[in-house]
Every structure is written in C-alpha cells, then in structure tokens.
C-alpha cells in the first residue's frame, strides 16, 4: 500500500472514530432527556422509528428520484442489533420505501420493519414480503377523476399526480408559486376526497388522497405495543408525522419514555416547535443514529 493510501485509510479511520465518540445532542425538554436516557440505558427494549422522505432521504423535486442518505443504511445497520427494533414509518408504499432506501438484504437489518401507507402496509425484512389490505375503491375513482378535475379548476399547470397504489397524491412543488398552489388546492381536493370516502393528508407541497382509519400515530402505537417497547424514538419532518408525535406523547403519558426528533426544514414549523430535539435534516438524523449506535449501553 502506498503512503497516500495509508494516509487516506488513517484519515478515514480517524474520522470514523471522531464520529463514533461525538457527543449526542441534548434534547431541549425534560421529557426528551428522559426518553434519550431510557434508550441509552435500556436499548434492548427501545424502538427507533423514522419517517423516510425528509428524514432518512433528502426531499427532491421528483419523489421517484428520492433515495436514502448514503450513510443512512450503514448507520441503521450499526444501531439495529443493539435495540429492540427499527421501523421506517412512511406514507409511501412499503415496497417503494424498501427499494428507495436500499433496506433489503443488509447485514444488521434482518429484523427491520417498514410500515408503509401510514401503517396500512407492512414489510418485514425477516420474510422479505409485504402484507397489505385490499385497495379502497375510492382511490381508483379519485385517481380517474383527478386529471379533469385539476384542469377544470385551472390548477393543471405546474401540478402533477403521483400514483401511490393505495393512495394518490397531487404535488405543487413544480408550480410557479408552490405554496399558493398548495393552499388553492387544499379545499377542493378535500371535497373530492370526501366524495370518494377518502381523507386528505397534507405534506410538504403535496396533498395526498388516501383511505381513512390509519395514520403514523396508530401505526406507531400498535407496533410499540406489539413488541412491548419500554422506550421510543420517533423522527420526522412533515405534517403527516404529527400523529406519530402524538403517539409518543401518549406513550409518555402512560409511562413509556420517548424522544421526539424533528428533521429540520424551513417549510414545516409545527414539528420543530413540538420536538424535543431538532437536527439538520437527513444528515443530522444520520449523525444522531451514529451517536446512538456508539453510546447505547450493552
């Protein structure tokens, strides 16, 4: 090995050691500090749950191009064997999140769970299969109506439709004024969803029409209770993550410590105002996962 390669290897190892021993950020609330302490002291009973887009993966203009942060999977794989479970809780179809995340077949992630479509779908790494309910008929009806609907209300320019299997979404990020387009579409799309027995899930420049009865909070509560979690961390970035925040708050009120983490952004402030800890987007989430993997007590 040449001297340049030796120095590069030493630098990489030094950087890895620095990252491994870097102190964890301190939660701003007493409840958050209690949650972090519980995770560090009882990792084998802790659930680490994370949103995908905006949390593990940077937000991009085309959701089909979204991919997990390059260091996310290694960080998850380092942490997963030390905790009770890691769950990715996302509005995406579970199989799509698995592909875009690169979660399948990763050593260390043999027991990862992906709760897709807000928990209506579930992918288990141990089996490599997705379980899902029968499609809601209103989704197909709304999907068929959407193109003409958007055209009639003058909202076609700059908006686009994303097919999500068990749901359908309208994005405004490409519009000349994305926020104005989002606000203008919210009421009419809410009415359209209601006519087909659906609800609206607002997000970062996206309005999703999906079946009622399941959200990230319900999914997280059910999963935490399924594995008898004694500590829970949830990290998210968008309005759809508010029910999961409420679920952690419910668990805390029942005696299970929890930590609420906001993957910070400038578009949604509701989460940062409610979080115990705000980190700098997916890169900050990765740093947090690395820190937890390095510091959890065996």
């Amino acid at each position: 090995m040449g001297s340049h390669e030796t120095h590069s290897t030493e630098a990489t190892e030094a950087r890895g050691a620095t990252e491994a021993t870097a102190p964890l950020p301190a939660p701003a609330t007493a409840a958050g500090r209690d949650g972090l302490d519980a995770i560090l002291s009882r990792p084998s009973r802790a659930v680490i749950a994370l949103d995908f887009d905006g949390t593990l993966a940077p937000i991009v203009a085309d959701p089909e191009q979204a991919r997990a942060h390059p260091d996310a999977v290694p960080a998850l794989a380092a942490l997963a064997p030390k905790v009770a479970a890691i769950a990715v809780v996302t509005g995406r179809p579970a199989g799509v999140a698995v592909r875009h995340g690169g979660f399948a077949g990763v050593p260390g992630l043999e027991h990862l769970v992906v709760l897709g479509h807000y928990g209506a779908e579930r992918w288990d790494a141990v089996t490599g299969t997705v379980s899902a309910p029968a499609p809601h008929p209103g989704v197909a009806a709304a999907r068929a109506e959407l193109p003409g609907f958007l055209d009639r209300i003058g909202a076609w320019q700059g908006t686009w439709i994303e097919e999500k299997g068990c749901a359908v979404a309208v994005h405004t990020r490409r519009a000349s004024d994305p926020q104005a387009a989002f606000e203008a579409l919210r009421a009419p799309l809410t009415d359209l969803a209601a006519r087909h027995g659906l609800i609206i899930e607002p997000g970062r420049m996206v309005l999703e029409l999906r079946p009622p009865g399941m959200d990230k909070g319900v999914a997280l509560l059910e999963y935490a209770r399924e594995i008898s979690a004694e500590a829970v961390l949830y990290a998210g970035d968008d309005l759809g993550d508010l029910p999961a925040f409420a679920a952690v708050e419910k668990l805390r009120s029942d005696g299970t410590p929890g930590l609420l983490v906001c993957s910070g952004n400038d578009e949604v402030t509701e989460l940062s105002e409610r979080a115990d800890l705000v980190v700098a987007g997916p890169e900050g989430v990765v740093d947090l996962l690395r820190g937890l993997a390095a510091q959890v007590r065996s």
Side-chain angles (χ1 to χ4, degrees):
M1 180 182 292
S3 61
H4 175 72
E5 292 176 337
T6 301
H7 292 157
S8 296
T9 301
E10 290 173 350
T12 298
E13 291 174 349
R15 183 169 62 250
T18 299
E19 290 171 349
T21 58
L24 287 167
T29 67
R33 291 190 289 273
D34 289 344
L36 179 58
D37 287 345
I39 293 165
L40 293 176
S41 61
R42 302 193 298 277
S44 64
R45 303 308 313 153
V47 174
I48 308 299
L50 309 109
D51 171 44
F52 185 72
D53 291 284
T55 302
L56 289 175
I59 293 291
V60 293
D62 180 0
E64 286 303 306
Q65 303 305 313
R67 296 295 183 271
H69 186 286
D71 295 326
V73 168
L76 288 170
L79 178 60
K82 301 180 179 183
V83 298
I86 288 183
V88 176
V89 189
T90 175
R92 284 184 181 269
V96 172
V98 171
R99 291 195 302 275
H100 289 197
F103 301 134
V106 177
L109 294 184
E110 292 86 357
H111 298 284
L112 176 76
V113 169
V114 177
L115 304 176
H117 279 308
Y118 303 91
E121 292 185 349
R122 175 166 169 166
W123 177 85
D124 287 273
V126 70
T127 62
T129 60
V130 174
S131 56
H136 189 292
V139 174
R143 182 184 297 116
E145 189 174 340
L146 265 175
F149 178 85
L150 293 173
D151 191 44
R152 285 194 303 275
I153 65 175
W156 186 254
Q157 187 67 35
T159 62
W160 59 284
I161 299 168
E162 180 188 5
E163 306 286 352
K164 301 185 72 173
C166 294
V168 61
V170 177
H171 292 259
T172 67
R173 190 171 294 277
R174 297 175 186 167
S176 57
D177 187 337
Q179 186 63 44
F182 176 91
E183 296 300 338
L185 280 172
R186 191 164 185 164
L189 285 179
T190 298
D191 292 341
L192 173 65
R195 284 198 283 106
H196 295 292
L198 306 175
I199 62 171
I200 282 286
E201 186 74 51
R204 293 170 66 178
M205 304 305 138
V206 60
L207 293 155
E208 181 172 321
L209 291 76
R210 67 176 182 85
M214 181 61 80
D215 59 35
K216 291 184 179 182
V218 174
L220 181 58
L221 275 177
E222 290 181 352
Y223 187 66
R225 289 167 176 164
E226 174 187 328
I227 67 169
S228 301
E230 295 180 7
V232 178
L233 177 153
Y234 185 81
D237 75 307
D238 207 346
L239 295 172
D241 296 304
L242 286 171
F245 270 37
V248 173
E249 291 165 348
K250 166 64 175 170
L251 288 167
R252 293 199 295 208
S253 71
D254 292 340
T256 300
L259 175 62
L260 296 171
V261 179
C262 174
S263 175
N265 66 79
D266 296 330
E267 295 176 355
V268 179
T269 60
E270 287 91 334
L271 264 74
S272 61
E273 293 168 353
R274 197 160 160 182
D276 305 307
L277 179 63
V278 179
V279 299
E283 185 170 351
V285 172
V286 167
D287 287 342
L288 177 62
L289 295 172
R290 285 174 174 155
L292 288 171
Q295 296 192 35
V296 289
R297 301 165 196 167
S298 301

